[in-house]
Amino acid sequence: MLTSSKSLIAYDKKNLDDKTLLQLYKNMLKPRMIEEKMLILLRQGKISKWFSGIGQEAISVGVTMAMHKDEYILPMHRNLGVFTTREIPLHRLFSQWQGKANGFTKGRDRSFHFGTQEFNIVGMISHLGPQLGVADGIALASLLKNKKQVTTVFTGEGGTSEGDFHEALNVASVWQLPVMFCIENNGYGLSTPTNEQYHCKDLADRGKGYGMESFVLDGNNIIEVYTKMQKLAASIRKRPRPILIEFKTFRMRGHEEASGTKYVPKALMQEWAKKDPLENFQAYLKEQRILSEKQEVAIKDAITLEINEHLQMAFDEAPIVPNVETELNDVYKSFDFKAIKPDSKTAELRLIDAISQGLKQAMEKHDDLVIMGQDIAEYGGVFKITEGFVNQFGKARVRNTPICESAIVEAAMGLSIAGMKAVMEMQFADFVTSGFNPVVNYLAKSHYRWNQQADVVIRMPCGGGVAAGPFHSQTNEAWFTKTPGLKVVYPAFPYDAKGLLTTAIEDPNPVLFFEHKALYRSIRQDVPLEYYTLPIGEASVLREGTAVTVISYGAGVHWALETLDANESISADLIDLRSLQPLDTETIFASVKKTNRVIILQEDSLFGGIASDLSALIMEHCFEYLDAPVKRVASMETPIPFVDQLEEQYMAKGRFEEALKAVLAY
C-alpha cells in the first residue's frame, strides 16, 4: 500500500468528466472489497478456494467499461472486476463460490469457471487456452451478422505459451475478426517468473508475427486502460480486425491462496505495492478534489452494506440436494427430435454422395450454419464432400481454415455461444488429437457446467482398408464414447448417413460424426433426394434370425453381411448400432434374449473399445439368457500398418467367420 497520500502513477484525465472518474473508482473498489471479504471467508472455511486479482482491478474494470454490455467478454479467474462491472447481483456470485444452486453451475464447477448469457460473459476452463479460440468464434458470428461488435478475451502471460494462443491469434488475423486479445502480464505463472515463460522483450511483440496491431499498456493505470481500450474498441467496431494488448501489472497474492508468495522477492513485492491501482487512483481523485473523505466513507459503507446483505442471502440459501435424475438430465441439452419423413423420390447414391447431399440440404435449411475445415472451400475437401459448396453458399459460410484443429473446434463452440450452428470437418479422424482438449473438456462439458449448448458437429473421416497407414486410418470412436456430453454417430449405409447427419446438425449437442473412408465410394443404396431426418440412438436390425446376435457398426457391418451371405445356414440377428452414444440397449437386449448367443465385431483394436462395454452390459442385463460367453472380435493390438498384407492381417474382418462359428458351436 502507499506510504503517502500522493499518487505515484501519472494520470491524464483527458476529456473524462468527474462522474466517469468516480465510476471508475467505485468499480475498482467493489471487487477489492469483495476480495478482502472472500479472503476472510476462505480462512473460515466458508469458500473452498480463491484466486486473487488484488492489484489487477484496473484492467478488468477499464476493459469492461470500454465495452458495450451486449458484447461478449471472456475473462479468467483473476477478473472479478469484469463480473461486478457487468453488475451481476452479488448474491449470485457468492452462491457460485459456495456451490449453491443460485450460482451459475448448480455446484458443478467452482469460482470463475462459468459463463452467463444474461451478462454476455463466458468463463474460462482450467486448461487456459480454449477461451481464445472460442472468442474467435463469437467474433466470427458478429462479423457474419454484421453486428459491429467487439469480443474481448483475457489470458495471462503464462497462457501465451499454450498452442491455443498462437492458433487463435493466427485465425483471428487471417479472418480479420473483431477480437481484442488481452494479456495480463502479472509477472508469474503460478511460481514460474516471466523470464522462464518467454524470451522476448514484450509479449505484445508477438502481434507482429500475426500481422496485427499490438500495444503495451500500464495495467495499473485505470485511466490509460479505459481510454485506450475505449478508443480501440470503437475503432474495431468501424473496421473489424484483431488487436493484441499486453497489460503490465503484478499479482500481489499467490496463484491461489494456498500457494502463498514466498517465491517472490520481497523487494519486488514492495515495488509493486507502491503501484497499487486502487490506492493511487484514490489519491489522485483526492488531489484533484474529485473525491472527498466524506464521499469515500459513504461509498465504502454502501459497498460494505451490499456485500453483507448479499452474503447473508447466499448463506441463507439451502445447500444443494443431490438428485441423480437432475444430474443425468443436464449432461445433454434436451432435443425434441422431429422426424421428417423421406420423400418417395430416390436415387442410388454412394455413401460419400449421401453425406454431401445431407450437408448441402442442411446448409440450405439453416441460414446460420457455418462449415469450417482444411481445404473445404474451392478444393471441396480432400474427399470432395463439399465440392461446389463455396459457389452456392459463399466463403463466409464455407470456410477454409489454417491447419489448427484446436482453434477451429473452439471457434465452432464460439459460434454456438453466439447462437449459430457449426460443422467442422476434421480432415482425418486421426487429426482430432490436435484438437482433443476442446472436444472433451469444452464442448462435452459446457451444458452440464453452465447450461450452454455446444451446437457443433465434427465430421470424422476414419477407418482402414485404404492402405493409409498409422496416421490416416484409425477408427477412434472409443475416445469419445467414454466422454459424457458427446454424442457419437457411426453410419454404415448412405440412407442412414444422410438422415443421421441432418439430425446431428439439428441437435443442439456436440456430435462426433464418423464416416468410414473405405465405404465412401464402395457402398451404394437408394436414398431419398429431399431432406429427411433419422433419430440418433436407434439401432437398425438388418437381418433377423434365431441362432445368434451379431452386433457391429461402420465397416464391420459389411464384413458381417459378407460372412452371413457366405454362410446362408446361419440364422442371425444382425444389428447395426448406427449410434454409439446414446446406445440402443433396448434393441440389443431384446435380440440377445431371443437368440441366446452374441458376437460383437468392431474394426477398432480390442482393449478399451466399445465391444468391451457392450459385452459387459449384456453380461449384466442378459446373463441368464446366454448359452455361450459373449464373444468380441476386433483388430490387432497394434497401430494400424500401411502395406496391404499387413493391414489385412491387422483387420478383424479375417477373424470374424471362425469366431462366429465357434460361438455357434459352444
Side-chain angles (χ1 to χ4, degrees), residues 357-541:
Q357 191 178 92
L359 187 57
K360 181 180 178 182
Q361 290 173 359
M363 287 286 282
E364 291 169 343
K365 180 177 181 181
H366 304 288
D367 292 337
D368 59 350
L369 173 59
V370 176
I371 309 175
M372 300 182 290
Q374 296 162 26
D375 307 298
I376 66 165
E378 290 85 355
Y379 191 71
V382 294
F383 300 105
K384 302 302 179 184
I385 283 176
T386 53
E387 191 168 27
F389 278 37
V390 74
N391 297 326
Q392 180 174 349
F393 303 109
K395 291 201 71 168
R397 293 181 63 201
V398 183
R399 306 186 74 88
N400 279 337
T401 71
I403 301 176
C404 52
E405 287 81 5
S406 192
I408 303 307
V409 172
E410 293 155 12
M413 181 68 209
L415 286 170
S416 180
I417 288 171
M420 299 184 73
K421 289 179 174 291
V423 171
M424 181 207 174
E425 178 182 296
M426 197 67 66
Q427 195 169 71
F428 290 86
D430 312 66
F431 297 169
V432 74
T433 50
S434 295
F436 195 73
N437 176 37
V439 175
V440 300
N441 283 315
Y442 211 116
L443 269 61
K445 298 174 183 176
S446 287
H447 187 265
Y448 174 76
R449 289 172 53 244
W450 60 280
N451 201 37
Q452 173 58 53
Q453 67 191 45
D455 202 340
V456 177
V457 174
I458 302 178
R459 292 184 39 244
M460 302 278 282
C462 66
V466 292
F471 306 118
H472 296 79
S473 305
Q474 295 174 90
T475 175
N476 47 18
E477 65 280 354
W479 297 352
F480 305 102
T481 54
K482 176 69 182 70
T483 306
L486 299 176
K487 294 188 177 183
V488 181
V489 177
Y490 204 143
F493 294 94
Y495 174 83
D496 293 336
K498 180 179 175 181
L500 289 170
L501 179 58
T502 55
T503 300
I505 291 169
E506 292 193 1
D507 194 319
N509 295 286
V511 181
L512 279 294
F513 193 87
F514 284 82
E515 307 166 6
H516 201 289
K517 303 189 303 294
L519 303 182
Y520 269 157
R521 293 174 171 83
S522 64
I523 301 300
R524 296 174 178 269
Q525 190 181 33
D526 284 340
V527 177
L529 293 177
E530 298 302 315
Y531 185 94
Y532 65 95
T533 60
L534 292 173
I536 293 175
E538 288 189 13
S540 175
V541 181

Side-chain angles (χ1 to χ4, degrees), residues 562-636:
E562 288 177 28
T563 301
L564 293 173
D565 285 342
N567 295 270
E568 294 181 357
S569 62
I570 297 177
S571 176
D573 268 6
L574 175 56
I575 299 175
D576 175 6
L577 293 174
R578 301 195 296 186
S579 169
L580 308 182
Q581 183 60 267
L583 188 65
D584 185 357
T585 54
E586 183 178 344
T587 295
I588 294 167
F589 296 161
S591 176
V592 173
K593 290 174 182 178
K594 177 181 71 171
T595 68
N596 313 122
R597 297 172 191 267
V598 189
I599 186 167
I600 306 165
L601 173 62
Q602 68 181 30
E603 180 177 337
D604 191 12
S605 53
L606 187 62
F607 192 84
I610 193 159
S612 300
D613 274 297
L614 282 170
S615 176
L617 284 167
I618 292 166
M619 292 294 286
E620 288 171 9
H621 294 274
C622 306
F623 179 76
E624 63 269 31
Y625 294 91
L626 292 173
D627 292 336
V630 176
K631 180 65 178 175
R632 298 170 296 151
V633 182
S635 295
M636 289 175 62

Side-chain angles (χ1 to χ4, degrees), residues 1 28 32 35 52-59 78 184 186 219-221 248-253 272 275-278:
M1 294 295 177
M28 277 203 297
R32 174 69 64 89
E35 281 219 46
S52 177
I54 287 177
Q56 298 180 207
E57 295 92 347
I59 303 169
R78 249 174 278 286
E184 292 181 292
N186 61 20
N220 285 27
N221 184 329
K248 301 287 190 181
T249 185
F250 196 73
R251 198 182 70 215
M252 297 303 296
R253 301 191 70 87
W272 276 98
K275 300 176 184 177
D276 184 290
L278 178 61

Side-chain angles (χ1 to χ4, degrees), residues 257-274:
E257 286 305 306
S259 67
T261 57
K262 290 182 179 179
Y263 49 83
V264 182
K266 188 175 181 180
L268 188 60
M269 290 287 289
Q270 292 172 341
E271 178 186 346
W272 276 98
K274 295 175 184 176

